[in-house]
Amino acid sequence: MKIFRSVMMAAGFGVLASTAMIVHAQDAAAKRGMAKFNHSCAPCHGKGPGNDGKKMLPGTDSLRIKYQGSLPAPLEERKDLTADAIKTFVRLGSSAMPPFRKTELTDAEIVDIAAYLKYSSSHL
Ligand code: HEC
């Protein structure tokens, strides 16, 4: 019985330790993604005002018009965007949004951006 208990405790610690490692890895990805988002996406998709006198930046404003309130306009508030969906838009571009080549933004960096958007939208 004593052995059983210590085995169970060891298993419990193992689960805790690996969960902590996964959380740590996700945090690291979200942190890298935040830096990339701020550099490559926030100039159009940030929450601030546009520098042309408009109340919103062009990406945020276009998505506000597109979704009419059914989804949040700032990407940092979207919970529905998967890494694959983001990758499609980023590689192809969309109206005023330019496509990004792999030399500008790698697939791994897009996955990091997706991790950041997942993090930011769940910590509003
Ligand atoms: C030059 C401005 C600009 C930049 C830079 C930009 N975007 Fe966009 N993005 C837009 C605009 C404008 C739209 C809306 C296009 C439309 O109306 O179809 C858009 C649309 C999107 C969409 C589609 C969302 C939806 O639900 O339709 C995603 C996802 C997206 N952008 C992600 C990104 C990411 C990630 C980056 C950074 C790597 C980025 N964008 C950089 C302007 C930009």
Side-chain angles (χ1 to χ4, degrees), residues 61-102:
D61 200 35
S62 296
L63 296 178
R64 176 186 66 83
I65 293 165
K66 180 174 178 181
Y67 291 115
Q68 301 283 327
S70 62
L71 284 172
L75 292 182
E76 285 162 291
E77 295 180 10
R78 292 274 296 271
K79 292 183 193 294
D80 62 308
L81 287 171
T82 62
D84 279 346
I86 296 169
K87 204 176 286 176
T88 303
F89 280 103
V90 167
R91 291 287 176 236
L92 300 179
S94 173
S95 86
M97 175 170 161
F100 288 78
R101 298 183 305 273
K102 291 195 178 184

mmCIF file of all heavy atoms in Angstrom, residues 61-102:
data_model
loop_
_atom_site.group_PDB
_atom_site.id
_atom_site.type_symbol
_atom_site.label_atom_id
_atom_site.label_comp_id
_atom_site.label_asym_id
_atom_site.label_seq_id
_atom_site.Cartn_x
_atom_site.Cartn_y
_atom_site.Cartn_z
ATOM 1 N N ASP A 61 -10.210 48.172 -38.820
ATOM 2 C CA ASP A 61 -11.401 48.832 -39.362
ATOM 3 C C ASP A 61 -12.087 47.952 -40.413
ATOM 4 O O ASP A 61 -13.324 47.830 -40.411
ATOM 5 C CB ASP A 61 -11.006 50.187 -39.960
ATOM 6 C CG ASP A 61 -12.205 51.114 -40.092
ATOM 7 O OD1 ASP A 61 -13.099 51.054 -39.216
ATOM 8 O OD2 ASP A 61 -12.254 51.879 -41.069
ATOM 9 N N SER A 62 -11.294 47.303 -41.299
ATOM 10 C CA SER A 62 -11.901 46.428 -42.326
ATOM 11 C C SER A 62 -12.647 45.278 -41.680
ATOM 12 O O SER A 62 -13.731 44.893 -42.136
ATOM 13 C CB SER A 62 -10.828 45.831 -43.233
ATOM 14 O OG SER A 62 -10.180 46.831 -43.940
ATOM 15 N N LEU A 63 -12.062 44.712 -40.616
ATOM 16 C CA LEU A 63 -12.723 43.564 -39.974
ATOM 17 C C LEU A 63 -13.953 44.025 -39.183
ATOM 18 O O LEU A 63 -14.931 43.284 -39.060
ATOM 19 C CB LEU A 63 -11.730 42.794 -39.107
ATOM 20 C CG LEU A 63 -10.582 42.147 -39.911
ATOM 21 C CD1 LEU A 63 -9.598 41.440 -38.989
ATOM 22 C CD2 LEU A 63 -11.107 41.176 -40.968
ATOM 23 N N ARG A 64 -13.916 45.248 -38.687
ATOM 24 C CA ARG A 64 -15.118 45.801 -38.037
ATOM 25 C C ARG A 64 -16.258 45.872 -39.054
ATOM 26 O O ARG A 64 -17.390 45.453 -38.779
ATOM 27 C CB ARG A 64 -14.810 47.214 -37.489
ATOM 28 C CG ARG A 64 -16.014 47.927 -36.890
ATOM 29 C CD ARG A 64 -15.675 49.367 -36.513
ATOM 30 N NE ARG A 64 -15.377 50.222 -37.657
ATOM 31 C CZ ARG A 64 -16.283 50.822 -38.415
ATOM 32 N NH1 ARG A 64 -17.567 50.670 -38.162
ATOM 33 N NH2 ARG A 64 -15.921 51.562 -39.442
ATOM 34 N N ILE A 65 -15.933 46.369 -40.269
ATOM 35 C CA ILE A 65 -16.961 46.491 -41.307
ATOM 36 C C ILE A 65 -17.415 45.100 -41.773
ATOM 37 O O ILE A 65 -18.605 44.849 -41.947
ATOM 38 C CB ILE A 65 -16.419 47.323 -42.499
ATOM 39 C CG1 ILE A 65 -16.209 48.765 -42.042
ATOM 40 C CG2 ILE A 65 -17.359 47.256 -43.697
ATOM 41 C CD1 ILE A 65 -15.346 49.602 -42.976
ATOM 42 N N LYS A 66 -16.419 44.180 -41.933
ATOM 43 C CA LYS A 66 -16.750 42.832 -42.417
ATOM 44 C C LYS A 66 -17.696 42.109 -41.465
ATOM 45 O O LYS A 66 -18.662 41.484 -41.879
ATOM 46 C CB LYS A 66 -15.457 42.024 -42.586
ATOM 47 C CG LYS A 66 -15.656 40.607 -43.087
ATOM 48 C CD LYS A 66 -14.314 39.934 -43.359
ATOM 49 C CE LYS A 66 -14.504 38.495 -43.810
ATOM 50 N NZ LYS A 66 -13.212 37.828 -44.054
ATOM 51 N N TYR A 67 -17.418 42.173 -40.169
ATOM 52 C CA TYR A 67 -18.170 41.343 -39.225
ATOM 53 C C TYR A 67 -19.307 42.065 -38.505
ATOM 54 O O TYR A 67 -20.135 41.423 -37.860
ATOM 55 C CB TYR A 67 -17.218 40.704 -38.214
ATOM 56 C CG TYR A 67 -16.330 39.671 -38.865
ATOM 57 C CD1 TYR A 67 -14.966 39.844 -38.950
ATOM 58 C CD2 TYR A 67 -16.888 38.530 -39.436
ATOM 59 C CE1 TYR A 67 -14.154 38.901 -39.570
ATOM 60 C CE2 TYR A 67 -16.089 37.583 -40.064
ATOM 61 C CZ TYR A 67 -14.725 37.773 -40.125
ATOM 62 O OH TYR A 67 -13.944 36.839 -40.746
ATOM 63 N N GLN A 68 -19.328 43.395 -38.605
ATOM 64 C CA GLN A 68 -20.450 44.153 -38.015
ATOM 65 C C GLN A 68 -20.759 43.746 -36.578
ATOM 66 O O GLN A 68 -21.930 43.596 -36.196
ATOM 67 C CB GLN A 68 -21.721 43.938 -38.867
ATOM 68 C CG GLN A 68 -21.592 44.365 -40.316
ATOM 69 C CD GLN A 68 -21.666 45.868 -40.501
ATOM 70 O OE1 GLN A 68 -22.370 46.560 -39.778
ATOM 71 N NE2 GLN A 68 -20.887 46.396 -41.433
ATOM 72 N N GLY A 69 -19.710 43.484 -35.797
ATOM 73 C CA GLY A 69 -19.930 43.163 -34.391
ATOM 74 C C GLY A 69 -20.149 41.685 -34.097
ATOM 75 O O GLY A 69 -20.188 41.282 -32.935
ATOM 76 N N SER A 70 -20.308 40.843 -35.144
ATOM 77 C CA SER A 70 -20.509 39.413 -34.857
ATOM 78 C C SER A 70 -19.202 38.753 -34.396
ATOM 79 O O SER A 70 -19.221 37.724 -33.720
ATOM 80 C CB SER A 70 -21.085 38.679 -36.072
ATOM 81 O OG SER A 70 -20.190 38.748 -37.161
ATOM 82 N N LEU A 71 -18.051 39.340 -34.776
ATOM 83 C CA LEU A 71 -16.746 38.917 -34.252
ATOM 84 C C LEU A 71 -15.995 40.201 -33.887
ATOM 85 O O LEU A 71 -16.225 41.246 -34.507
ATOM 86 C CB LEU A 71 -15.951 38.152 -35.326
ATOM 87 C CG LEU A 71 -16.363 36.713 -35.623
ATOM 88 C CD1 LEU A 71 -15.593 36.184 -36.834
ATOM 89 C CD2 LEU A 71 -16.129 35.809 -34.425
ATOM 90 N N PRO A 72 -15.080 40.132 -32.910
ATOM 91 C CA PRO A 72 -14.337 41.343 -32.550
ATOM 92 C C PRO A 72 -13.456 41.816 -33.709
ATOM 93 O O PRO A 72 -12.920 40.997 -34.455
ATOM 94 C CB PRO A 72 -13.467 40.918 -31.368
ATOM 95 C CG PRO A 72 -13.821 39.522 -31.039
ATOM 96 C CD PRO A 72 -14.690 38.969 -32.105
ATOM 97 N N ALA A 73 -13.312 43.128 -33.864
ATOM 98 C CA ALA A 73 -12.491 43.679 -34.947
ATOM 99 C C ALA A 73 -10.988 43.475 -34.713
ATOM 100 O O ALA A 73 -10.269 43.145 -35.649
ATOM 101 C CB ALA A 73 -12.833 45.155 -35.146
ATOM 102 N N PRO A 74 -10.458 43.666 -33.486
ATOM 103 C CA PRO A 74 -9.017 43.455 -33.294
ATOM 104 C C PRO A 74 -8.667 41.960 -33.249
ATOM 105 O O PRO A 74 -9.346 41.189 -32.550
ATOM 106 C CB PRO A 74 -8.727 44.099 -31.924
ATOM 107 C CG PRO A 74 -9.972 44.826 -31.536
ATOM 108 C CD PRO A 74 -11.100 44.178 -32.263
ATOM 109 N N LEU A 75 -7.625 41.559 -33.994
ATOM 110 C CA LEU A 75 -7.251 40.131 -34.015
ATOM 111 C C LEU A 75 -6.913 39.618 -32.622
ATOM 112 O O LEU A 75 -7.124 38.443 -32.319
ATOM 113 C CB LEU A 75 -6.054 39.912 -34.953
ATOM 114 C CG LEU A 75 -6.294 40.130 -36.448
ATOM 115 C CD1 LEU A 75 -5.021 39.816 -37.231
ATOM 116 C CD2 LEU A 75 -7.451 39.288 -36.963
ATOM 117 N N GLU A 76 -6.382 40.498 -31.764
ATOM 118 C CA GLU A 76 -5.991 40.050 -30.420
ATOM 119 C C GLU A 76 -7.186 39.662 -29.552
ATOM 120 O O GLU A 76 -7.011 39.139 -28.454
ATOM 121 C CB GLU A 76 -5.173 41.141 -29.721
ATOM 122 C CG GLU A 76 -3.759 41.230 -30.269
ATOM 123 C CD GLU A 76 -3.081 42.545 -29.924
ATOM 124 O OE1 GLU A 76 -3.521 43.585 -30.469
ATOM 125 O OE2 GLU A 76 -2.144 42.523 -29.121
ATOM 126 N N GLU A 77 -8.401 39.926 -30.041
ATOM 127 C CA GLU A 77 -9.591 39.523 -29.279
ATOM 128 C C GLU A 77 -10.303 38.323 -29.920
ATOM 129 O O GLU A 77 -11.326 37.872 -29.418
ATOM 130 C CB GLU A 77 -10.555 40.716 -29.165
ATOM 131 C CG GLU A 77 -9.942 41.851 -28.352
ATOM 132 C CD GLU A 77 -10.859 43.056 -28.220
ATOM 133 O OE1 GLU A 77 -12.052 42.965 -28.598
ATOM 134 O OE2 GLU A 77 -10.368 44.095 -27.756
ATOM 135 N N ARG A 78 -9.751 37.815 -31.037
ATOM 136 C CA ARG A 78 -10.411 36.708 -31.739
ATOM 137 C C ARG A 78 -10.009 35.365 -31.154
ATOM 138 O O ARG A 78 -8.833 35.059 -31.057
ATOM 139 C CB ARG A 78 -10.017 36.755 -33.229
ATOM 140 C CG ARG A 78 -10.582 37.959 -33.973
ATOM 141 C CD ARG A 78 -11.965 37.711 -34.484
ATOM 142 N NE ARG A 78 -12.009 36.657 -35.476
ATOM 143 C CZ ARG A 78 -11.856 36.875 -36.784
ATOM 144 N NH1 ARG A 78 -11.653 38.083 -37.246
ATOM 145 N NH2 ARG A 78 -11.928 35.864 -37.626
ATOM 146 N N LYS A 79 -11.023 34.573 -30.800
ATOM 147 C CA LYS A 79 -10.759 33.232 -30.266
ATOM 148 C C LYS A 79 -10.894 32.162 -31.353
ATOM 149 O O LYS A 79 -10.596 31.001 -31.127
ATOM 150 C CB LYS A 79 -11.757 32.898 -29.150
ATOM 151 C CG LYS A 79 -11.590 33.733 -27.896
ATOM 152 C CD LYS A 79 -12.586 33.262 -26.850
ATOM 153 C CE LYS A 79 -12.709 34.224 -25.689
ATOM 154 N NZ LYS A 79 -11.523 34.361 -24.871
ATOM 155 N N ASP A 80 -11.405 32.546 -32.526
ATOM 156 C CA ASP A 80 -11.771 31.549 -33.535
ATOM 157 C C ASP A 80 -10.672 31.293 -34.565
ATOM 158 O O ASP A 80 -10.832 30.425 -35.408
ATOM 159 C CB ASP A 80 -13.024 32.037 -34.276
ATOM 160 C CG ASP A 80 -12.763 33.342 -35.009
ATOM 161 O OD1 ASP A 80 -12.266 34.295 -34.363
ATOM 162 O OD2 ASP A 80 -13.027 33.413 -36.215
ATOM 163 N N LEU A 81 -9.565 32.031 -34.514
ATOM 164 C CA LEU A 81 -8.570 31.916 -35.583
ATOM 165 C C LEU A 81 -7.573 30.790 -35.313
ATOM 166 O O LEU A 81 -6.825 30.833 -34.335
ATOM 167 C CB LEU A 81 -7.824 33.242 -35.737
ATOM 168 C CG LEU A 81 -8.622 34.378 -36.387
ATOM 169 C CD1 LEU A 81 -7.860 35.681 -36.271
ATOM 170 C CD2 LEU A 81 -8.948 34.058 -37.841
ATOM 171 N N THR A 82 -7.565 29.798 -36.189
ATOM 172 C CA THR A 82 -6.585 28.707 -36.057
ATOM 173 C C THR A 82 -5.300 29.120 -36.771
ATOM 174 O O THR A 82 -5.304 30.029 -37.605
ATOM 175 C CB THR A 82 -7.114 27.422 -36.718
ATOM 176 O OG1 THR A 82 -7.286 27.696 -38.120
ATOM 177 C CG2 THR A 82 -8.433 26.977 -36.124
ATOM 178 N N ALA A 83 -4.215 28.406 -36.451
ATOM 179 C CA ALA A 83 -2.933 28.687 -37.112
ATOM 180 C C ALA A 83 -3.087 28.509 -38.629
ATOM 181 O O ALA A 83 -2.552 29.301 -39.407
ATOM 182 C CB ALA A 83 -1.855 27.763 -36.563
ATOM 183 N N ASP A 84 -3.854 27.504 -39.060
ATOM 184 C CA ASP A 84 -4.034 27.274 -40.499
ATOM 185 C C ASP A 84 -4.786 28.422 -41.168
ATOM 186 O O ASP A 84 -4.434 28.844 -42.263
ATOM 187 C CB ASP A 84 -4.796 25.960 -40.743
ATOM 188 C CG ASP A 84 -3.880 24.757 -40.647
ATOM 189 O OD1 ASP A 84 -2.638 24.965 -40.654
ATOM 190 O OD2 ASP A 84 -4.384 23.628 -40.555
ATOM 191 N N ALA A 85 -5.828 28.922 -40.503
ATOM 192 C CA ALA A 85 -6.596 30.039 -41.068
ATOM 193 C C ALA A 85 -5.703 31.278 -41.169
ATOM 194 O O ALA A 85 -5.693 31.965 -42.195
ATOM 195 C CB ALA A 85 -7.823 30.330 -40.203
ATOM 196 N N ILE A 86 -4.936 31.530 -40.115
ATOM 197 C CA ILE A 86 -4.038 32.695 -40.130
ATOM 198 C C ILE A 86 -3.013 32.547 -41.253
ATOM 199 O O ILE A 86 -2.754 33.482 -42.006
ATOM 200 C CB ILE A 86 -3.347 32.858 -38.760
ATOM 201 C CG1 ILE A 86 -4.392 33.165 -37.685
ATOM 202 C CG2 ILE A 86 -2.286 33.958 -38.808
ATOM 203 C CD1 ILE A 86 -3.860 33.090 -36.268
ATOM 204 N N LYS A 87 -2.476 31.321 -41.388
ATOM 205 C CA LYS A 87 -1.464 31.061 -42.415
ATOM 206 C C LYS A 87 -2.028 31.361 -43.807
ATOM 207 O O LYS A 87 -1.359 31.966 -44.642
ATOM 208 C CB LYS A 87 -1.005 29.601 -42.327
ATOM 209 C CG LYS A 87 0.367 29.369 -42.902
ATOM 210 C CD LYS A 87 0.820 27.934 -42.717
ATOM 211 C CE LYS A 87 1.225 27.611 -41.306
ATOM 212 N NZ LYS A 87 1.573 26.192 -41.117
ATOM 213 N N THR A 88 -3.263 30.961 -44.063
ATOM 214 C CA THR A 88 -3.871 31.197 -45.373
ATOM 215 C C THR A 88 -3.935 32.690 -45.670
ATOM 216 O O THR A 88 -3.514 33.139 -46.733
ATOM 217 C CB THR A 88 -5.293 30.582 -45.416
ATOM 218 O OG1 THR A 88 -5.182 29.196 -45.106
ATOM 219 C CG2 THR A 88 -5.930 30.748 -46.778
ATOM 220 N N PHE A 89 -4.442 33.478 -44.727
ATOM 221 C CA PHE A 89 -4.535 34.926 -44.948
ATOM 222 C C PHE A 89 -3.151 35.547 -45.090
ATOM 223 O O PHE A 89 -2.930 36.401 -45.948
ATOM 224 C CB PHE A 89 -5.294 35.606 -43.802
ATOM 225 C CG PHE A 89 -6.787 35.472 -43.923
ATOM 226 C CD1 PHE A 89 -7.488 34.573 -43.144
ATOM 227 C CD2 PHE A 89 -7.494 36.251 -44.829
ATOM 228 C CE1 PHE A 89 -8.868 34.440 -43.254
ATOM 229 C CE2 PHE A 89 -8.870 36.133 -44.950
ATOM 230 C CZ PHE A 89 -9.567 35.223 -44.161
ATOM 231 N N VAL A 90 -2.214 35.122 -44.246
ATOM 232 C CA VAL A 90 -0.877 35.728 -44.250
ATOM 233 C C VAL A 90 -0.135 35.397 -45.557
ATOM 234 O O VAL A 90 0.540 36.250 -46.120
ATOM 235 C CB VAL A 90 -0.078 35.269 -43.015
ATOM 236 C CG1 VAL A 90 1.393 35.617 -43.139
ATOM 237 C CG2 VAL A 90 -0.653 35.919 -41.754
ATOM 238 N N ARG A 91 -0.293 34.181 -46.066
ATOM 239 C CA ARG A 91 0.411 33.811 -47.301
ATOM 240 C C ARG A 91 -0.250 34.404 -48.543
ATOM 241 O O ARG A 91 0.420 34.744 -49.498
ATOM 242 C CB ARG A 91 0.483 32.289 -47.440
ATOM 243 C CG ARG A 91 1.382 31.624 -46.422
ATOM 244 C CD ARG A 91 2.855 31.858 -46.706
ATOM 245 N NE ARG A 91 3.692 31.295 -45.652
ATOM 246 C CZ ARG A 91 4.588 31.995 -44.950
ATOM 247 N NH1 ARG A 91 4.782 33.259 -45.204
ATOM 248 N NH2 ARG A 91 5.291 31.428 -44.012
ATOM 249 N N LEU A 92 -1.573 34.512 -48.547
ATOM 250 C CA LEU A 92 -2.277 34.987 -49.742
ATOM 251 C C LEU A 92 -2.554 36.484 -49.701
ATOM 252 O O LEU A 92 -2.735 37.112 -50.737
ATOM 253 C CB LEU A 92 -3.609 34.241 -49.925
ATOM 254 C CG LEU A 92 -3.515 32.722 -50.085
ATOM 255 C CD1 LEU A 92 -4.899 32.116 -50.221
ATOM 256 C CD2 LEU A 92 -2.670 32.366 -51.321
ATOM 257 N N GLY A 93 -2.614 37.070 -48.507
ATOM 258 C CA GLY A 93 -3.048 38.453 -48.387
ATOM 259 C C GLY A 93 -4.555 38.524 -48.600
ATOM 260 O O GLY A 93 -5.197 37.517 -48.922
ATOM 261 N N SER A 94 -5.130 39.701 -48.399
ATOM 262 C CA SER A 94 -6.574 39.858 -48.568
ATOM 263 C C SER A 94 -6.870 41.338 -48.732
ATOM 264 O O SER A 94 -6.562 42.123 -47.844
ATOM 265 C CB SER A 94 -7.283 39.308 -47.321
ATOM 266 O OG SER A 94 -8.654 39.581 -47.363
ATOM 267 N N SER A 95 -7.391 41.724 -49.850
ATOM 268 C CA SER A 95 -7.602 43.131 -50.239
ATOM 269 C C SER A 95 -6.407 43.992 -49.823
ATOM 270 O O SER A 95 -5.310 43.820 -50.340
ATOM 271 C CB SER A 95 -8.973 43.644 -49.771
ATOM 272 O OG SER A 95 -8.959 44.117 -48.472
ATOM 273 N N ALA A 96 -6.554 44.879 -48.846
ATOM 274 C CA ALA A 96 -5.456 45.797 -48.496
ATOM 275 C C ALA A 96 -4.333 45.108 -47.722
ATOM 276 O O ALA A 96 -3.291 45.714 -47.479
ATOM 277 C CB ALA A 96 -6.008 46.959 -47.675
ATOM 278 N N MET A 97 -4.524 43.855 -47.336
ATOM 279 C CA MET A 97 -3.465 43.159 -46.596
ATOM 280 C C MET A 97 -2.500 42.490 -47.564
ATOM 281 O O MET A 97 -2.915 41.694 -48.409
ATOM 282 C CB MET A 97 -4.080 42.107 -45.677
ATOM 283 C CG MET A 97 -3.020 41.272 -44.986
ATOM 284 S SD MET A 97 -3.765 40.261 -43.715
ATOM 285 C CE MET A 97 -2.489 39.036 -43.513
ATOM 286 N N PRO A 98 -1.205 42.818 -47.446
ATOM 287 C CA PRO A 98 -0.234 42.225 -48.383
ATOM 288 C C PRO A 98 0.089 40.784 -47.999
ATOM 289 O O PRO A 98 -0.006 40.425 -46.830
ATOM 290 C CB PRO A 98 1.011 43.102 -48.175
ATOM 291 C CG PRO A 98 0.916 43.551 -46.750
ATOM 292 C CD PRO A 98 -0.554 43.681 -46.455
ATOM 293 N N PRO A 99 0.445 39.939 -49.001
ATOM 294 C CA PRO A 99 0.912 38.594 -48.640
ATOM 295 C C PRO A 99 2.314 38.670 -48.044
ATOM 296 O O PRO A 99 3.094 39.537 -48.408
ATOM 297 C CB PRO A 99 0.935 37.858 -49.990
ATOM 298 C CG PRO A 99 1.037 38.923 -51.022
ATOM 299 C CD PRO A 99 0.446 40.180 -50.444
ATOM 300 N N PHE A 100 2.610 37.768 -47.114
ATOM 301 C CA PHE A 100 3.954 37.706 -46.525
ATOM 302 C C PHE A 100 4.662 36.473 -47.070
ATOM 303 O O PHE A 100 4.119 35.371 -47.012
ATOM 304 C CB PHE A 100 3.864 37.585 -44.997
ATOM 305 C CG PHE A 100 3.415 38.851 -44.309
ATOM 306 C CD1 PHE A 100 2.076 39.221 -44.301
ATOM 307 C CD2 PHE A 100 4.332 39.663 -43.654
ATOM 308 C CE1 PHE A 100 1.655 40.385 -43.656
ATOM 309 C CE2 PHE A 100 3.917 40.831 -43.006
ATOM 310 C CZ PHE A 100 2.583 41.190 -43.002
ATOM 311 N N ARG A 101 5.886 36.677 -47.590
ATOM 312 C CA ARG A 101 6.671 35.531 -48.068
ATOM 313 C C ARG A 101 7.291 34.795 -46.884
ATOM 314 O O ARG A 101 7.425 35.357 -45.799
ATOM 315 C CB ARG A 101 7.791 36.013 -49.000
ATOM 316 C CG ARG A 101 7.278 36.707 -50.246
ATOM 317 C CD ARG A 101 8.450 37.081 -51.162
ATOM 318 N NE ARG A 101 9.447 37.889 -50.477
ATOM 319 C CZ ARG A 101 9.398 39.218 -50.385
ATOM 320 N NH1 ARG A 101 8.394 39.887 -50.930
ATOM 321 N NH2 ARG A 101 10.345 39.890 -49.752
ATOM 322 N N LYS A 102 7.723 33.539 -47.159
ATOM 323 C CA LYS A 102 8.353 32.754 -46.085
ATOM 324 C C LYS A 102 9.660 33.365 -45.628
ATOM 325 O O LYS A 102 10.128 33.089 -44.526
ATOM 326 C CB LYS A 102 8.565 31.310 -46.544
ATOM 327 C CG LYS A 102 7.260 30.562 -46.691
ATOM 328 C CD LYS A 102 7.442 29.062 -46.786
ATOM 329 C CE LYS A 102 6.066 28.412 -46.889
ATOM 330 N NZ LYS A 102 6.124 26.959 -46.893
#
